[in-house]
Amino acid sequence: MATVDKMPMLQEGYEKLQADLKRLKEERPQIVDAIEEARAHGDLSENAEYHAAKERQGQIEASIAQLEDRLSRAQIIDPKDLSGDKVVFGATVTLLDEDDKPIRYQIVGETEADAKLGRISYNSPLGRALIGRKVDDEVEVTVPSGDRYYLVSKVEFI
């Protein structure tokens, strides 16, 4: 999975990844202690505590490696530094759906996406369809429930 592609993200997303990494690194000694304690109980072949602790250690190490990779490839983008009339990473877009109901999304990185909070990944079907669009452009997106049509009504950098 080693790649040199930059991973765009907002400062907030970068800080969250750093906090997650710090938390996992702080958990490392506790897992080592749990492994040592489980070893002290004797036969490792039938020691569920030992196997659970070793499995957790593997999960933590994999997560740490993944977070370090993402942080090393991070390209922090501040939407306030952007301008223009096209939808780009970091832009906040107001769309009108087929019933002229406004929907607002910010285009963010994969790790920051949360549709309930109005944040969609630039890699999502809607995110990909919006990138490069301008106000008054129509957007068609195919989602599992069928095709959706939107009109870009506003592009902001906030």
Side-chain angles (χ1 to χ4, degrees):
M1 195 173 118
T3 179
V4 293
D5 293 338
K6 288 292 182 187
M7 181 175 262
M9 63 182 66
L10 303 176
Q11 181 68 36
E12 176 184 321
Y14 185 81
E15 290 169 2
K16 182 183 180 305
L17 291 180
Q18 282 184 314
D20 290 348
L21 180 61
K22 182 179 184 224
R23 181 184 49 77
L24 287 173
K25 284 185 172 183
E26 288 170 353
E27 194 175 329
R28 271 177 169 165
Q30 296 167 4
I31 294 298
V32 171
D33 291 345
I35 290 170
E36 289 302 317
E37 185 179 321
R39 264 194 194 141
H41 294 158
D43 184 9
L44 298 182
S45 65
E46 296 180 16
N47 189 329
E49 289 174 12
Y50 173 78
H51 293 290
K54 287 296 281 182
E55 185 175 326
R56 179 68 184 140
Q57 182 182 39
Q59 292 169 342
I60 287 175
E61 293 304 323
S63 295
I64 287 172
Q66 183 181 40
L67 288 170
E68 286 176 338
D69 175 60
R70 287 181 172 173
L71 288 168
S72 72
R73 295 185 298 124
Q75 178 183 8
I76 300 170
I77 296 174
D78 185 353
K80 294 177 186 124
D81 293 342
L82 305 173
S83 63
D85 59 352
K86 283 187 178 180
V87 177
V88 295
F89 181 94
T92 299
V93 185
T94 303
L95 305 170
L96 297 177
D97 67 9
E98 295 161 8
D99 300 323
D100 286 336
K101 179 181 158 214
I103 305 167
R104 190 170 160 170
Y105 292 115
Q106 182 177 25
I107 310 296
V108 297
E110 295 171 9
T111 59
E112 306 164 287
D114 187 343
K116 291 177 186 145
L117 297 176
R119 305 176 122 204
I120 59 170
S121 168
Y122 68 95
N123 246 350
S124 68
L126 181 56
R128 285 195 308 267
L130 289 172
I131 297 290
R133 301 298 179 123
K134 296 180 179 183
V135 172
D136 292 332
D137 280 357
E138 291 184 9
V139 180
E140 178 183 351
V141 182
T142 301
V143 292
S145 60
D147 291 345
R148 298 265 191 247
Y149 300 91
Y150 300 100
L151 178 71
V152 178
S153 71
K154 190 186 226 179
V155 178
E156 302 171 279
F157 299 96
I158 50 177

